[in-house]
Amino acid sequence: MKSIKKYTILSAVALSLLGSCSNEFLEVDPKGQFLESNYYQNYDQAFAGLVAAYDPVGWISDNYVAKEMSANIASDDHYTGGGNSSDVLAMQVWTNYTLDPANGPQDRLWQRGFQGAFRTNTLLSKLPNAEMNETDRSRFAAEAKFLRAYYYFDLIRLFERIPLITEPIEASEVYNIPQVDRGVVFAQIEKDLMEAMDDLPIKIDVASEGGRATQGAAKALLGKVYLQQEKFTEAAAQLSEVNGTPGGTSKYGYKLLDNFGDLFDGKHKFNEESIFEVSHSSSSNAVWDCIGCSEGNLLNVMSAPRSYAVKEEGRGAPEYISGWGFNTVSTSLAEAYINADGSYDGRYKYTVSNIDSLAQLGVISYDPSYQNTGYFLEKFAGKKANQSTGGGNWELNFPQNFYDIRLADTYLMEAEALVRGGGNTARAQALLDAVRTRSGNAPIPVTFENIFKERRLELAGEGHRWYDLVRTGKAAEALKDRGYVEGKHDKLPIPLLELNNTVLEQDPAY
């Protein structure tokens, strides 16, 4: 049912309802395509529209560009890797900062954001006339506003100036929609999240609704939006409600898992630490002629070593599948886990795998990736135990979920907001300590630099590092060896095709 292809703003507007795959929180039988004029008439149709609005959250394009991996390879923690310097060129040019309006990941990331926004706009416009009870109507509207804020937040972080569209528009109108000031977009994001909160559930049944937005997710996202704008007091206020007592269970039921490794073993979906989780499954049975139809996590096959094989059993070799060798880990990230006394941070073994050392010992063999370092992302490198045995091509159908926001992230965001905003340093210290203690690390002083380093170690490979570097002004120094130009590469260019016959203006830096 999923039909995400190569849509510009124009084609996204023209197609009034795109089908959507089933998700963890919903099984929807295929219903075909419906005209907008005779759809959204009842609960079931509105619910299908809601699923369509969620669908771009976990979207990956037909050329393998996805939100999480793109942000990884743009940072100092990863390289694109792959087979050679032109393998998935859209991402190679972001790693080495040779991207331009015609070459890069921007077209797919632009499409993802605006497709999501258009679907939420359509749903919000149709909900008032659907035959359904008011409780469900209010919840659907709140989820749509949460999602619209989510999509626009990604867009405004990726692009300097964008159009802001908050209602359905005719295809003929799209050519004349101008970009708006960044502050206008942030104000709309804040408004949507504030309006959504009261009608979102405090808790959900994850067995049937895992992946749907909650009040805690809205507060966490709003705190993140405030932090992006350096509204530290406001950010800390929202995040403190999400976090509760450091190390305890918050009013929303959030709690740090005891074992850091449980977050990434594929057996603890929608756990107590998860705030907003991207759902993946093998049930779509995706095949090569429709990569965009996959509900699987392609980061798994992309991050596993190329031509990987275990040569000597029983010597600690990871049970990886043979993958494509992308998203390789930088030496600087691997070395960041080494403590002053030479020991390794407790998170290292769950985050990074030193494949090269095993190859030198003859335990395994693999083909080095382009820009090979010998280090791979243990968190998401595909494991044989997770390999799909159902229909479709197994490479496209890994079921491991992805965290968009989790509690350790919000702990560290609140700690940062408190320190940078002159807030309660004792609470900030407790938040930092809770994250470090979970992995067996001793307390360190709660300074901005220590919090920033902790975010790198805790959240590596989860798509946060590039955004953190940019928003804190640290990108130019961290990425100077890759060709990063300050004032230019903190944003992506507007996709070249989006400028044709429209009033959109390219970022002057490009």
Side-chain angles (χ1 to χ4, degrees):
M1 295 179 68
K2 191 173 183 181
S3 55
I4 298 179
K5 297 292 187 182
K6 299 178 180 177
Y7 296 117
T8 60
I9 284 184
L10 177 59
S11 59
V13 171
L15 191 55
S16 60
L17 177 66
L18 293 178
S20 171
C21 286
S22 60
N23 285 284
E24 282 283 329
F25 67 83
L26 174 67
E27 294 295 333
V28 178
D29 293 329
K31 303 295 184 185
Q33 300 291 336
F34 295 87
L35 295 176
E36 181 184 343
S37 58
N38 59 13
Y39 204 63
Y40 298 98
Q41 294 182 359
N42 53 43
Y43 173 94
D44 289 338
Q45 292 179 357
F47 197 52
L50 179 63
V51 173
Y54 271 101
D55 199 54
V57 170
W59 173 82
I60 186 168
S61 77
D62 52 359
N63 70 340
Y64 306 107
V65 171
K67 171 187 172 180
E68 298 85 9
M69 183 171 165
S70 295
N72 280 347
I73 58 90
S75 78
D76 57 341
D77 283 353
H78 299 270
Y79 295 100
T80 298
N84 53 57
S85 61
S86 61
D87 200 355
V88 187
L89 185 61
M91 291 195 292
Q92 298 287 353
V93 297
W94 205 5
T95 282
N96 57 30
Y97 287 93
T98 58
L99 74 170
D100 58 44
N103 297 286
Q106 60 269 8
D107 57 343
R108 302 307 198 270
L109 297 173
W110 178 278
Q111 291 159 12
R112 171 189 179 270
F114 279 107
Q115 284 186 42
F118 291 143
R119 294 183 188 192
T120 62
N121 289 341
T122 298
L123 179 60
L124 285 166
S125 72
K126 297 296 184 180
L127 278 174
N129 296 320
E131 293 183 3
M132 56 194 300
N133 68 59
E134 291 304 317
T135 300
D136 289 331
R137 192 194 318 278
S138 296
R139 181 181 179 185
F140 285 15
E143 289 180 86
K145 289 180 180 180
F146 169 88
L147 288 169
R148 184 166 65 186
Y150 171 85
Y151 292 128
Y152 272 121
F153 184 52
D154 281 348
L155 286 166
I156 199 58
R157 289 188 295 166
L158 289 169
F159 300 97
E160 181 63 28
R161 295 179 71 239
I162 61 174
L164 178 63
I165 305 167
T166 57
E167 58 185 24
I169 58 174
E170 297 294 333
S172 59
E173 297 176 29
V174 73
Y175 300 103
N176 299 313
I177 299 177
Q179 292 136 298
V180 299
D181 291 341
R182 294 175 60 80
V184 175
V185 180
F186 278 113
Q188 181 63 48
I189 293 169
E190 293 172 16
K191 179 176 181 290
D192 275 344
L193 291 172
M194 292 296 291
E195 291 180 354
M197 281 182 191
D198 288 344
D199 290 320
L200 289 171
I202 292 178
K203 294 183 181 180
I204 58 174
D205 179 359
V206 297
S208 59
E209 297 186 328
R212 294 180 72 173
T214 61
Q215 189 176 117
K219 284 187 172 292
L221 181 56
L222 183 57
K224 191 172 184 176
V225 170
Y226 284 142
L227 186 62
Q228 179 75 25
Q229 302 172 82
E230 299 190 351
K231 296 180 178 180
F232 300 124
T233 300
E234 294 91 335
Q238 295 296 327
L239 294 166
S240 67
E241 290 194 51
V242 176
N243 295 333
T245 302
T249 302
S250 78
K251 68 179 183 181
Y252 296 112
Y254 303 134
K255 183 180 183 298
L256 293 178
L257 294 188
D258 292 334
N259 180 15
F260 179 82
D262 288 348
L263 288 162
F264 308 102
D265 64 4
K267 302 175 183 178
H268 295 81
K269 291 189 175 187
F270 306 113
N271 56 66
E272 293 172 308
E273 189 166 335
S274 175
I275 296 175
F276 189 56
E277 188 166 333
V278 181
S279 180
H280 292 292
S281 77
S282 59
S283 62
S284 61
N285 297 325
V287 294
W288 290 117
D289 63 356
C290 188
I291 295 171
C293 298
S294 175
E295 291 293 336
N297 187 343
L298 267 69
L299 192 61
N300 290 158
V301 70
M302 295 187 78
S303 299
R306 301 171 66 84
S307 303
Y308 180 83
V310 177
K311 299 175 69 175
E312 293 188 21
E313 299 287 350
R315 295 189 63 186
E319 289 295 320
Y320 294 144
I321 50 95
S322 177
W324 302 345
F326 287 93
N327 202 32
T328 53
V329 171
S330 69
T331 301
S332 68
L333 174 60
E335 292 177 347
Y337 286 95
I338 303 176
N339 297 319
D341 61 1
S343 63
Y344 279 84
D345 185 288
R347 292 164 290 201
Y348 175 81
K349 65 181 179 179
Y350 300 113
T351 305
V352 178
S353 182
N354 187 350
I355 294 299
D356 210 46
S357 64
L358 294 174
Q360 292 175 25
L361 293 171
V363 177
I364 62 98
S365 63
Y366 78 107
D367 289 343
S369 298
Y370 174 63
Q371 297 175 310
N372 186 60
T373 63
Y375 296 107
F376 288 82
L377 184 60
E378 169 67 16
K379 281 182 180 178
F380 291 106
K383 312 298 193 301
K384 288 184 177 179
N386 286 335
Q387 186 173 332
S388 173
T389 57
N393 298 98
W394 62 264
E395 296 92 338
L396 306 178
N397 293 289
F398 279 88
Q400 185 180 7
N401 283 2
F402 197 94
Y403 302 104
D404 201 287
I405 307 175
R406 61 182 175 89
L407 192 62
D409 178 16
T410 59
Y411 270 28
L412 294 173
M413 284 195 288
E414 186 190 347
E416 179 184 335
L418 290 170
V419 168
R420 296 180 71 189
N424 185 338
T425 55
R427 178 173 171 82
Q429 183 72 64
L431 290 162
L432 177 60
D433 289 349
V435 174
R436 290 182 57 79
T437 299
R438 191 255 298 272
S439 298
N441 295 303
I444 55 177
V446 65
T447 64
F448 170 57
E449 290 301 325
N450 282 341
I451 295 168
F452 191 79
K453 180 180 179 181
E454 200 67 23
R455 287 186 62 80
R456 186 184 196 188
L457 300 178
E458 176 72 22
L459 303 170
E462 298 179 47
H464 298 283
R465 176 69 173 177
W466 182 79
Y467 295 104
D468 283 347
L469 289 171
V470 169
R471 71 177 176 80
T472 59
K474 294 178 178 291
E477 177 62 25
L479 299 169
K480 61 183 179 182
D481 295 336
R482 298 200 186 187
Y484 182 98
V485 176
E486 190 170 8
K488 177 179 181 178
H489 291 132
D490 57 331
K491 300 293 186 298
L492 295 173
I494 303 296
L496 190 61
L497 291 177
E498 297 297 327
L499 301 174
N500 292 342
N501 301 314
T502 72
V503 298
L504 298 183
E505 298 178 354
Q506 184 59 272
D507 182 343
Y510 288 91

